[in-house]
Amino acid sequence: MVWDNERRSKRERMDAGKRYANGKVVSTPEIVPFLEEVIRPGDRVVLEGCNQKQAAFLAGALAQVDPGKVHNLNMIIPSISRDEHLDLFEKGIAEELNFAFAGVQSLRLAQMLADEKLRIGAIHTYLELYGRLYVDLTPHICLIAADRADKDGNLYTGYNTEETPMLTEAAAFKNGIVIAQVNDIVNSKDLPRVDIPGGWVDYVVKASEPYPMEPLFTRDPAKIQDAHILMGMMVIKGIYAKHQVKSLNHGIGYNGAAIELLLPTFGNFLGLKGQICTHWVLNPHPTLIPAIEDGWVKQVCAFGGELGMDRYTAARPDIFFTGPDGALRSNRAVAQIAGLYGMDLFLGGTLQMDYAGNSSTVTNGRLSGYGGAPNMGNSTGGRRHSTKAWGDMGAPVAGSLASGRKLVVQMMKSRSKFGPGFVPVLDAVDIGKKAGMAGAPVMVYGEDVTHVVTEQGIAYLYQAQNAEERARLLGAVAQGTPIGDLVSEAEIKAMRKAGQVAYPQDLAISPEAANKDLLAAKSLEEISKISGGLYQVPARFQKKPE
């Protein structure tokens, strides 16, 4: 029996492609024919596309290969963020897609799925997708991005390491071919540090231009609404202070940004500094800068970088994980593990929630995926250390020996321009059926949600005994919508008295006081000033000169 078929296949591919390479360095103009030589029909191909960093040059090159030579690929793309990612399917180069998040491509992806132009293997969480790289989605080809490389393949990923090590190792140690696009090829002595050893990397190619980076987690304080501020005040006093939440993650959005900017003002007014929000698992949000500068934050474990934050993170090594070169060392897989096991609370927004508390960002016409929210937003049964916040939630099942569970906070306006936020059945249920998925693409399950916050108040769902009671608690904070009709005024009064629901007045919060005057910064320019000029406002957010 032959036991090294994969190794032999790798040798054959590399022999076929060597005419386009000088050692490990592939000629930039010849990247397309090179890919045609090393990739085989039906291959599993990882294409690095995470929240901020994109292997855009390699994505563009792959989209230019001859479909007669390279076809039926199973593309593994953590975050579908570029046109080229879906062009692969339009051109017949790829047929199956496994991903975690779609973002700006969510509308096109939904349409292509409806038109049967691609097949979705599964929508994953980030950690789930990374895990499958080592089980049943192990890649034949791994296309990644780095800042710099030497001719031996040693990579410096610097401020934007993100998911690169996790993707690379799965291919490197299972006879896959690892190809890295880099911004520059330098002498070994000019690498500030080695983030990926050359032994893991088969080829490097200098990209025609630096890889793009998007300010995905940047939120302009000027766009924060009074409703966000009111909900943020309720979260700080009615959840964070109540349960003494010290370790946490904020998902993307204005809700989290408002809370971060309220800590140095409203939080200080309540005397909470040092008692809550000290340890974060978080991309380096610019809106966290005022709280950091005011002494609220002790440590941040970053999933990835954020455009404009590189100088600031390098100047705050007591707060961020940094290398000897000073640059941030982010790691998406490690941060996902930290979010799963090491922190007490996840807070995120959602587009839609059903009456049982299930939520999803997969809605009609939009296939956004999950990203890391399901990792952050569930209470893993594997955790064994305890904190007050964890213990306050009680055992997840009556009679269980478990000491508590994670706080999972979902924030949503009770009504938006699209209608009520709470619906009897999620759009995701029907979408999942039509797409042939085994289960509905739910982002966070209702059983895991401990708190729901709307502009009307807080529903303490962890106190509910069943789905019917959860629905009534949700109805209490969504009055004026159909779910609000499920609960009477007398029942709401009883819920408030029992501490199952809290309205602003129950927390001694005045809605009239919830305005931008409470924010520690009202613009990104003001945040830059608070940082001492270290934070550089991304071009797309800069004010145009009058």
Side-chain angles (χ1 to χ4, degrees):
M1 183 177 289
V2 178
W3 293 99
D4 63 347
N5 287 310
E6 294 174 350
R7 187 173 297 164
R8 294 183 186 207
S9 174
K10 179 175 181 176
R11 287 198 198 109
E12 291 173 1
R13 295 165 186 248
M14 294 181 71
D15 284 344
K18 66 182 180 182
R19 58 186 166 137
Y20 299 109
N22 180 10
K24 289 191 174 186
V25 180
V26 177
S27 168
T28 302
E30 296 181 305
I31 186 61
V32 174
F34 171 76
L35 292 177
E36 290 175 340
E37 293 293 346
V38 299
I39 301 176
R40 300 285 185 266
D43 273 354
R44 292 182 295 274
V45 179
V46 164
L47 177 56
E48 184 168 18
C50 54
N51 279 341
Q52 280 86 356
K53 184 172 68 170
Q54 305 288 329
F57 173 73
L58 289 173
L62 185 59
Q64 295 177 53
V65 301
D66 182 355
K69 297 178 180 179
V70 179
H71 50 83
N72 299 109
L73 299 182
N74 182 342
M75 295 302 303
I76 303 161
I77 310 176
S79 180
I80 305 166
S81 305
R82 301 186 60 81
D83 290 342
E84 301 97 304
H85 294 166
L86 295 180
D87 290 346
L88 296 169
F89 298 90
E90 297 271 13
K91 295 180 177 181
I93 297 167
E95 66 174 3
E96 181 173 322
L97 175 64
N98 285 277
F99 73 106
F101 184 66
V104 295
Q105 296 294 334
S106 60
L107 295 174
R108 184 182 176 196
L109 176 59
Q111 188 59 53
M112 289 180 67
L113 181 64
D115 294 341
E116 298 183 348
K117 292 185 177 180
L118 56 79
R119 181 177 70 250
I120 292 179
I123 308 174
H124 306 74
T125 72
Y126 284 124
L127 205 56
E128 179 183 19
L129 186 58
Y130 302 153
R132 288 191 67 189
L133 296 180
Y134 295 81
V135 182
D136 60 345
L137 286 179
T138 305
H140 301 96
I141 303 290
C142 183
L143 307 176
I144 58 173
D147 283 32
R148 299 174 220 170
D150 63 16
K151 63 181 179 58
D152 296 319
N154 294 299
L155 302 183
Y156 172 66
T157 53
Y159 176 66
N160 300 305
T161 299
E162 304 214 11
E163 62 191 7
T164 313
M166 199 70 168
L167 305 181
T168 304
E169 188 166 343
F173 291 91
K174 203 61 172 64
N175 299 300
I177 294 178
V178 177
I179 305 166
Q181 72 165 71
V182 297
N183 297 339
D184 201 8
I185 298 175
V186 301
N187 292 323
S188 299
K189 64 182 178 59
D190 293 323
L191 290 176
R193 68 182 191 228
V194 174
D195 291 305
I196 307 288
W200 295 17
V201 180
D202 297 296
Y203 298 102
V204 297
V205 56
K206 184 176 179 179
S208 55
E209 58 184 30
Y211 63 77
M213 186 176 174
E214 296 295 325
L216 185 67
F217 286 84
T218 298
R219 289 296 178 269
D220 188 345
K223 294 185 178 180
I224 293 175
Q225 301 170 5
D226 289 352
H228 297 133
I229 297 170
L230 176 60
M231 288 192 284
M233 295 168 72
M234 289 191 285
V235 167
I236 290 172
K237 191 170 184 180
I239 300 177
Y240 292 0
K242 177 182 175 69
H243 303 299
Q244 295 182 25
V245 174
K246 291 192 173 183
S247 56
L248 69 160
N249 165 264
H250 281 174
I252 190 170
Y254 289 103
N255 290 312
I259 295 169
E260 290 152 23
L261 291 171
L262 285 168
L263 290 176
T265 57
F266 185 63
N268 280 347
F269 172 75
L270 297 175
L272 295 173
K273 188 190 298 185
Q275 299 177 41
I276 64 169
C277 302
T278 55
H279 294 77
W280 296 73
V281 182
L282 193 75
N283 278 71
H285 292 188
T287 45
L288 194 63
I289 287 176
I292 294 173
E293 295 301 301
D294 196 49
W296 277 78
V297 179
K298 291 185 177 180
Q299 189 162 290
V300 176
C301 171
F303 298 88
E306 183 70 5
L307 193 63
M309 285 288 286
D310 50 330
R311 292 197 308 161
Y312 183 77
T313 56
R316 300 291 182 269
D318 284 351
I319 304 297
F320 297 94
F321 290 80
T322 59
D325 62 318
L328 178 75
R329 170 66 175 193
S330 60
N331 190 312
R332 188 164 301 280
V334 168
Q336 290 289 339
I337 294 171
L340 189 61
Y341 288 103
M343 71 181 193
D344 286 336
L345 179 144
F346 163 75
L347 178 142
T350 186
L351 297 177
Q352 198 176 69
M353 180 176 285
D354 69 15
Y355 291 4
N358 299 298
S359 64
S360 183
T361 52
V362 176
T363 58
N364 285 325
R366 187 181 298 274
L367 200 59
S368 300
Y370 313 126
N375 287 335
M376 305 292 122
N378 84 89
S379 185
T380 173
R383 173 168 163 166
R384 290 297 180 268
H385 74 283
S386 188
T387 60
K388 181 187 184 308
W390 179 270
D392 276 0
M393 296 303 98
V397 179
S400 171
L401 292 178
S403 61
R405 57 174 171 150
K406 185 189 295 179
L407 288 77
V408 177
V409 182
Q410 292 281 269
M411 299 183 71
M412 183 177 68
K413 291 181 181 178
S414 61
R415 181 183 292 274
S416 72
K417 62 182 179 180
F418 301 109
F422 297 94
V423 295
V425 180
L426 295 174
D427 291 349
V429 174
D430 186 53
I431 292 171
K433 289 178 180 177
K434 289 180 178 178
M437 298 179 185
V442 173
M443 183 176 68
V444 178
Y445 293 117
E447 305 93 278
D448 288 323
V449 179
T450 58
H451 302 74
V452 170
V453 184
T454 73
E455 77 287 358
Q456 297 184 23
I458 303 173
Y460 295 93
L461 296 191
Y462 69 92
Q463 298 186 38
Q465 300 302 309
N466 50 52
E468 182 181 351
E469 192 170 343
R470 282 203 301 274
R472 290 201 299 272
L473 292 177
L474 292 174
V477 295
Q479 290 294 288
T481 71
I483 193 175
D485 295 336
L486 299 179
V487 59
S488 69
E489 289 187 14
E491 288 176 309
I492 293 175
K493 184 177 180 180
M495 291 172 183
R496 293 170 64 185
K497 185 176 181 180
Q500 295 176 311
V501 168
Y503 285 173
Q505 54 267 42
D506 301 323
L507 299 169
I509 292 173
S510 170
E512 289 72 27
N515 58 61
K516 290 182 181 178
D517 289 340
L518 275 179
L519 299 179
K522 300 173 183 63
S523 69
L524 290 174
E525 288 76 15
E526 192 173 345
I527 289 176
S528 178
K529 185 176 181 180
I530 292 171
S531 76
L534 293 169
Y535 170 57
Q536 297 173 295
V537 180
R540 73 160 65 170
F541 291 101
Q542 291 177 9
K543 293 181 178 179
K544 296 179 181 179
E546 297 181 0

